[in-house]
Amino acid sequence: MAAALRLGAFLFLFLFLLPPLQTAEPSVEPAAPPETRAAARARPRNGPAPVTDVAKLCVCDLLVAQCDVNCCCDPDCSAADFSLFTTCSIPIVTGDSRLCSQKAAIYSLDVEANPPERIFKLIDQVNPSVFCIHATNYKQAFSFSSPEMPTSENFDQLLEQFGSASFSAEPDSWNMNTDAQNPSDANETYRYEYGVPMQTVDAFLRLPSPVVSSWCSDMNPAGFLVNQATKCIRSVSVEKCGNIQGVSMLFYINSSILAVPKSSQMVNITVQSVVVQSLNGMRTLLNGSDVLRLPVILDELCINIVLGVSYHITYTDTGEIIEAAASFVLGAINKEALSIQQSFEISFTQVNTKPVPLSGNPGYVVGLPIRAGFRPQGYPFHIGILFAALVLNTNKYSQLTILQSTSNQDCLAAQGARTPILFGYNMISGCKLRITAAMTCQPLTQTLLDLLKGQSFPEYVASFGNSQAQDVLDWVPITHLHTSEQSDNERIYNTFQSSCQIPVALEIEVKWTKYGSLVNPQARIVNVTATITTTTLKQLPSGRERTIPITSSVVFTDISSPAEPGYKAWPTINAKLPFDFFFPFF
């Protein structure tokens, strides 16, 4: 039986490693020991050097020594030419599209400058494709060499290398000379950039997550500024709970994080809070948070098992980590338990700033609040939009809000009661205002405006759910309109009579579009219009009263462009997916 299995495995490897037709002559090289291959895979590899400098590339520069119309990258264009441009014909110039990370030159126009000027930014663009070139680690990529053929001498070695469910076929002949320093790194100031794994003394900060199945994998690196929330299942047993590193607090705080990559300055992970969960689900916050509690077997139970970890990283605007804290949820298991579910989170906050909750990443998620803000007087536009949360306490989360209806429907009693506008939900609210003859026009008008718009109505709305305050181009200004309910005859009559125009309704229209790929469209706000409707209030006789309705409403309009004529759509599957299926990073 063993001989038959060995023969079957031999034939499988022979067919699997059989080279295709029209290949080069087979070259048999001695296989390196497994520890050599593991050391080679652990070495860092440099990314491919860009062939083209995108900052100097201008594909719309067609005229020699003349300015091309709407060509923002044309070096022959002056400030006077930019004032005549309507848009940038080529807003972005990228390098090799096959690379996982590539330079991109972004051009836009600052129409508020006098005279208008061109805005140029050089950024690192990430290729979303799974099939991209990450590192130039195989110099023989343009030629094919036949794989090593199985023989009776090397069969055991090949079976060990390729016989498992997953294997690495990295050749040992890859040239990974890490001693040679890249000339561009000589004067580089190291700092963390978005998505870069945060380094620790031994490797990187781990955030366990499910990979292929629902079981936890401890090899998932935590990326800088990438908020993550994962859940996975870990196999446990009471008898071995003290030897399972994934359920111990020490596993998550024993490594110090490097303040910046490749530096000797380290930031220790402190314990911010510890919550103990009983077997029935009741949770208790411990007073002493700075206490290390290791798994212990007690009366056929294993206590202090890690059920959840929440990291919080504080960083500076230069990409340096200055603080790292972890909050734990500890629980207990009995001898019948075979596995536990663990949850892991990580969040980031810039020093001396207040965290603002997102409403999507990047596109808005239906049911989450619309993020809004305003620019206080005296601040130039290019500095960035300062959130209302920094000034206004009644709107501490910087959201676009409307009047909140109350049970008694009294407008004067409803002052200050606001509710956030949720993306994708058409909303309407209102109240009733009792007007007497003693009320004067001007104070009543101001009271109603404050009631409809709030104490400080925002000036801008975030186009994406994760728009940052410093990215001024990601914010959409709110357009204000005014209408009147009176007819033409009333308008002519009111020019000769004393009357009062009071606001009675606020209508907000939010226009949005689907942005990005057809497979994973993201909701993006492109226009917001706030319309105040006024009506004529005539002077009431003494002792008379009048009740008028005050309304506030929100309407969402999808203005996405339809598919182009002749476009052949992919076949669709008639299946209903969960609402957050395409938002795994929120």
Side-chain angles (χ1 to χ4, degrees), residues 496-518:
F496 301 98
Q497 302 292 332
S498 60
S499 60
C500 179
Q501 292 289 325
I502 60 173
V504 293
L506 171 63
E507 300 175 1
I508 299 177
E509 183 183 15
V510 181
K511 296 181 180 179
W512 64 280
T513 182
K514 298 182 181 69
Y515 181 84
S517 117
L518 294 174

Side-chain angles (χ1 to χ4, degrees), residues 340-353:
I340 59 172
Q341 185 183 58
Q342 294 179 307
S343 60
F344 303 92
E345 294 182 3
I346 187 169
S347 59
F348 298 84
T349 301
Q350 186 174 336
V351 64
N352 297 328
T353 61

Side-chain angles (χ1 to χ4, degrees), residues 262-341:
K262 302 180 182 180
S263 70
S264 58
Q265 184 180 359
M266 295 177 293
V267 178
N268 295 327
I269 302 176
T270 61
V271 179
Q272 190 174 36
S273 64
V274 177
V275 176
V276 177
Q277 178 176 307
S278 61
L279 289 176
N280 59 6
M282 182 178 296
R283 293 190 175 187
T284 304
L285 178 64
L286 299 183
N287 294 328
S289 59
D290 194 11
V291 177
L292 181 62
R293 292 176 173 261
L294 300 178
V296 177
I297 300 177
L298 181 64
D299 296 336
E300 297 185 351
L301 296 177
C302 185
I303 62 175
N304 299 332
I305 291 290
V306 174
L307 300 179
V309 183
S310 297
Y311 290 108
H312 186 76
I313 308 298
T314 305
Y315 65 97
T316 64
D317 55 353
T318 59
E320 178 183 358
I321 297 176
I322 60 175
E323 291 181 4
S327 301
F328 290 90
V329 176
L330 305 180
I333 58 171
N334 52 28
K335 61 181 180 179
E336 287 81 13
L338 301 177
S339 62
I340 59 172
Q341 185 183 58

Side-chain angles (χ1 to χ4, degrees), residues 379-436:
Y379 286 85
F381 186 81
H382 65 273
I383 288 182
I385 299 171
L386 301 182
F387 283 118
L390 303 180
V391 180
L392 188 60
N393 294 328
T394 57
N395 186 13
K396 62 180 180 179
Y397 294 119
S398 304
Q399 298 165 353
L400 190 62
T401 61
I402 63 171
L403 171 67
Q404 181 178 358
S405 299
T406 58
S407 57
N408 54 10
Q409 295 293 309
D410 186 1
C411 289
L412 298 181
Q415 287 184 348
R418 312 288 296 178
T419 184
I421 297 177
L422 306 180
F423 181 82
Y425 283 81
N426 295 337
M427 306 170 66
I428 186 170
S429 61
C431 59
K432 295 181 180 180
L433 178 65
R434 185 172 60 89
I435 302 176
T436 62

Side-chain angles (χ1 to χ4, degrees), residues 6 82 355 434 575:
R6 184 180 179 89
F82 289 139
R434 185 172 60 89

Side-chain angles (χ1 to χ4, degrees), residues 67 69-70 78-87 109 115-116:
C67 178
V69 178
N70 291 338
S78 61
D81 297 325
F82 289 139
S83 63
L84 301 176
F85 286 5
T86 57
T87 184
L109 294 176

Side-chain angles (χ1 to χ4, degrees), residues 90 157 224 233 246 327 352 550:
I90 306 295
Q157 183 266 329
F224 183 64
I233 299 176
S327 301
N352 297 328
I550 306 297

